[in-house]
Structure formats: structure tokens, C-alpha cells
Amino acid sequence: MSKEIIPAGQAISISVLFIIGTSLFMGSSGQSGNSSWIALILAAALAVPLMLIYARLHGLFPGKDLYDMLILVFGAVAGRMLSCLYIWYALHLGSMVLRNFGEFSKTVALTSTPMLAPMLVIGLLCVWVVKAGMEVLGRSAKFLLLFTIMVIAVIELLSIPKYQYHHLLPVLDSGWKLVLSDTIGSFTFPFAEIVVFLGAFNVLPKKGSAAKVLVSSTMIAGVIILVVTLRNLMVLGPDILSSLYFPSYVAVGRINIGDFLTRIEGSSAIIFVTALFIKVSLCLYAASNGMAKVFKLDSYRSVVLQLGLIMVYLAVFIYKDIMQMQYFAYHIYKIYALPFQVAIPVILWVTAEILAWRRSGKKTAAQQ
């Protein structure tokens, strides 16, 4: 079994790119119109306690990943059954991200190319990097995060002349009901999706790193998504924004500095591809690691190629069209994902705390 350990800085880079992933292009849940940025802030704040619960699990089980924890706490049979659910979730999430890229390619970038081709290219690239190991993914993510932040910063500066600040008013025009609905949507997609990283907790140092990684990642990713959301809102307006499948691409396409700086939306497409590459790779690692734990394989690398191809195949058939993809992402996903992101981890944490308390009580009694 893998003994890879990556530094906290690389883990933060992976987590930030994982969280911002497809939300950079698809945007966040936006039923609340010009108040969607408020929902994002609330969602990030709501995610922090969940990150602390995830970090506490790492403290209770240092050097263990999610699958080890489930088996240790719930036993061999129930633990492996729950592990299979998380293997499915990681595979499903990875295939959804690939399909987002496939639909983007088919709709905007490579309209004459079969959707399978770009998805297969990204899928095989993810297979290669996961087989190479988490150290390679971590070093790649550290460079790609720096590149992503630089590109976003430049695009934000160039977008300022296009800002129409009246699009932000009136605040809370749609009321709190839609804002709270968007808060739950933004909480499940993208912040709480980092539950997949629990499947790779075995690559973190044993002491004191999980809380730093998860909370820092949530804050950094939250700021990036908030900045991008505000830009899209001020450039496009809430009405146009809600009608687009890929609002960031359209918003960046409106940048026009004189006659010499136009059509720079390709730069935003590049950071979309880099972020989804990291996200799919982590999903693939988590699924492969889970398979190795459930079936007691010598190494997760023996199933990476097979699961990568299954992920690509699933991405082709997961949705009928782009409209179904968007409907699932904004309406169904927040119900589907909550058990994986919140319910099972909280039950695992509470049960682990009770078991730890009982063990400490027995040790105290034995010493007396």
C-alpha cells in the first residue's frame, strides 16, 4: 500500500484547485440573482465547521484515510459497504467533471470534434499522473495554482472597465429564501465536495496538517470563486448570467482593450482545464485507493487505468444533454451529495469520538 507523504503546501494547492474546479466555468448556484455572492459567503462559512470535523477525523486516525476509518469504526462488512459508496461517489463526481469539460468542448471550443475525444485525452492524462503518484500531483498542483491565480488576477484587472455596479443592486431583491437555497447549493457544490480528499488522507503528515489544509483551502477557494462570481455578475448582469451554461467564458470574451487586446477568453479556458485536471485526478486517486482497501490489493496503481476508463465511459452516458447536466448540478446534486458530504462523515466522527472516549476511560481505569 502507498506510503506517499506530501507537504501541507502541496495538499492545499490540490484542495484549492479541486474546490474551484468546474465552478470557475459553470458558476455557482444562482437562483438568487444579484445576491448570489451573499450565498457564496454563507456557504464558505458553513463549510468551515465541516472542514474541522474532517480534520478531527485525521487527528483521531493519523496516517489513515477514509476507507481505513470506515472499516475500523464500523467493522469489516459495514465499513467495506460504506467504502464502496464512496468509491462510487468519487467515480461519479469525476465523470461529472469530465462531462462538464466535454460539454464545454462540444458547445464552445471544439464544436466539430466528438465529445469523447477531449474527455478521453484528459482522462488518460489523469491516469498517467495518478499512476505517477500523489507527489507528482502535488508538485503539479502547486505550479498550476500559482498560474491560475495569476491569470485570474490579470483578467480581473482587465475586466474593471466593463463593470456595471448597478447589477449588484438592490441587495437581497429576491429575498432570503432563494439566498438560503443557493447557500445549500454552493455548500454542496463545490465546497463540501472536498470530502473526496478524505480518501487521500493517508498522504498527509500524521500531525497537525489536516485542519490547516482544509480550512485554508476553503478560504482561498472561497475568495477566488467570490471574485469570479462578482466579475461575472457585474459584467453580464443577473438576467444574462442565469441564462448561460458557461458564464465565465462569455464574461471574459467581453474584454476589449482598444484594438489590440481582444478575444482573450482562451486564457480562462486554460485555467478551467488545469483545475478540472486536478479535480478528476484526485477523484481517480480516491476511487483507486478505495478499491485497493476494499479488495486488499497490493497497490492502488493496479486499478487506476481500469477505473479511469470507466470514468470516461460513464461521463459519456451520464447525461442526455447539457440541459440535463445543468439541472442535475443545480437542483438534484445538493440532495444527492449531502449523505456523502455530511451525514456519513458526521456519524463516523461521533462514533469515533465515543470509541476514543471509551478507550481512554478503560486506560484510566486500568492505571488506577
Side-chain angles (χ1 to χ4, degrees):
M1 210 50 77
S2 173
K3 299 296 183 184
E4 301 166 300
I5 300 294
I6 62 174
Q10 293 181 8
I12 290 173
S13 300
I14 292 173
S15 301
V16 170
L17 288 171
F18 180 91
I19 293 172
I20 65 177
T22 47
S23 59
L24 281 180
F25 254 54
M26 287 189 66
S28 55
S29 186
Q31 299 177 70
S32 53
N34 59 359
S35 301
S36 57
W37 60 275
I38 299 175
L40 267 174
I41 295 173
L42 293 176
L46 194 61
V48 171
L50 186 65
M51 299 303 117
L52 294 175
I53 290 175
Y54 293 166
R56 177 57 181 162
L57 286 171
H58 183 261
L60 290 169
F61 302 97
K64 304 293 185 184
D65 56 45
L66 176 63
Y67 309 105
D68 296 321
M69 298 174 195
L70 290 170
I71 292 170
L72 286 171
V73 171
F74 297 115
V77 177
R80 281 182 167 81
M81 290 176 64
L82 290 171
S83 295
C84 288
L85 290 178
Y86 276 99
I87 292 169
W88 160 252
Y89 179 68
L91 274 175
H92 188 205
L93 180 59
S95 66
M96 287 192 290
V97 176
L98 280 175
R99 181 58 181 265
N100 297 153
F101 175 62
E103 290 290 353
F104 170 75
S105 300
K106 179 182 176 182
T107 307
V108 177
L110 304 169
T111 55
S112 300
T113 304
M115 188 170 55
L116 176 62
M119 292 195 302
L120 185 60
V121 170
I122 293 292
L124 291 176
L125 185 60
C126 294
V127 167
W128 174 78
V129 77
V130 172
K131 276 206 167 210
M134 284 296 287
E135 299 102 325
V136 175
L137 184 63
R139 290 195 295 268
S140 302
K142 201 167 184 180
F143 167 76
L144 292 174
L145 178 61
L146 179 62
F147 172 74
T148 299
I149 291 174
M150 288 174 59
V151 172
I152 290 175
V154 171
I155 290 174
E156 293 301 318
L157 290 174
L158 294 176
S159 299
I160 291 175
K162 297 291 183 180
Y163 285 177
Q164 299 182 53
Y165 299 97
H166 67 271
H167 286 318
L168 297 176
L169 299 173
V171 178
L172 294 174
D173 182 44
S174 55
W176 276 106
K177 183 177 179 181
L178 290 179
V179 170
L180 293 177
S181 175
D182 280 354
T183 298
I184 299 300
S186 298
F187 171 76
T188 55
F189 166 63
F191 294 107
E193 287 180 339
I194 198 63
V195 69
V196 171
F197 193 60
L198 271 67
F201 261 14
N202 56 316
V203 303
L204 292 179
K206 288 189 177 181
K207 293 184 178 179
S209 60
K212 175 184 175 183
V213 168
L214 295 174
V215 175
S216 300
S217 303
T218 301
M219 294 295 98
I220 296 170
V223 170
I224 292 173
I225 296 171
L226 179 62
V227 166
V228 171
T229 299
L230 284 171
R231 180 202 67 203
N232 294 345
L233 183 59
M234 287 188 285
V235 171
L236 300 173
D239 295 331
I240 296 176
L241 191 66
S242 61
S243 66
L244 297 173
Y245 293 115
F246 305 106
S248 291
Y249 189 82
V250 177
V252 176
R254 293 196 174 187
I255 296 175
N256 186 0
I257 308 298
D259 295 325
F260 65 95
L261 191 60
T262 61
R263 304 293 297 174
I264 65 168
E265 57 267 34
S267 60
S268 61
I270 293 172
I271 62 173
F272 172 51
V273 174
T274 59
L276 77 88
F277 161 66
I278 297 297
K279 189 165 187 173
V280 174
S281 296
L282 185 57
C283 288
L284 181 57
Y285 176 85
S288 303
N289 191 37
M291 289 289 285
K293 294 295 173 67
V294 169
F295 296 103
K296 299 181 180 179
L297 305 177
D298 292 333
S299 172
Y300 72 89
R301 289 181 172 89
S302 61
V303 293
V304 170
L305 177 60
Q306 295 90 325
L307 290 179
L309 293 175
I310 290 173
M311 194 177 284
V312 174
Y313 181 80
L314 184 61
V316 175
F317 299 101
I318 194 171
Y319 304 120
K320 184 174 65 174
D321 51 35
I322 192 171
M323 291 179 288
Q324 191 181 66
M325 179 188 80
Q326 189 181 52
Y327 181 81
F328 182 87
Y330 294 144
H331 299 282
I332 307 299
Y333 183 75
K334 56 188 171 185
I335 301 170
Y336 161 76
L338 276 175
F340 297 102
Q341 297 172 349
V342 179
I344 297 175
V346 168
I347 293 171
L348 174 64
W349 166 60
V350 171
T351 308
E353 290 284 9
I354 292 171
L355 293 175
W357 176 73
R358 286 179 178 175
R359 282 197 299 268
S360 63
K362 289 179 180 179
K363 286 181 180 178
T364 303
Q367 290 173 357
Q368 292 175 351

